[in-house]
Amino acid sequence: GIQLGDAIRLLGYDRPATVTAGAPFTITLFWEATRTIEQDLVVFVHVWQPGDPRPLLQNDSRPRQGWFPTTEWRAGDVVEDIHILQAPGDITPETYPLWAGLYRPQDGVRLPANGPDGPLPHDLIPLGNLTIAD
């Protein structure tokens, strides 16, 4: 698992390996609250090539599309959090990196993300590569 801040852990995720341009697809994240969370946080899922100014695709939302904000999580809660994305029909078919994380909406600051080997660069959780096909 990946630890975010001092109260949240990403237990795992489910995602397709390949998606079709123009068709919606889902990324499911499985979070665990390790203690009560006092701040409202936003989850982000980005298809983003490092060095590019912005993500190619993204879904930023409060957990469960806003229905279960982090301020309602209690120690031991496991939250299944589904994010729906859609690649535009004219996107270049290619393999792109997929990332996730959490941030504070008031200032955009990401929660520190730590993996088994220490801090993750830019507090981005790598979710592997996503191939977008025609």
Side-chain angles (χ1 to χ4, degrees), residues 14-15 19 25 27 40-41 44 48 52 54 56 65-66 71 74 79 92 99 102 111 114 116-117 124 128 132:
D14 184 30
R15 64 168 186 83
V19 300
F25 61 96
I27 307 292
D40 182 32
L41 299 167
F44 67 88
W48 176 70
D52 285 353
R54 64 186 199 288
L56 292 165
Q65 295 83 40
T71 52
R74 300 297 174 250
V79 179
T92 302
W99 310 91
L102 290 162
L111 257 61
N114 289 284
D117 298 324
L124 292 167
I132 299 177

Side-chain angles (χ1 to χ4, degrees), residues 33-46:
T34 57
R35 66 175 182 81
T36 298
I37 301 161
E38 297 177 8
Q39 54 184 330
D40 182 32
L41 299 167
V42 173
V43 177
F44 67 88
V45 176
H46 291 174

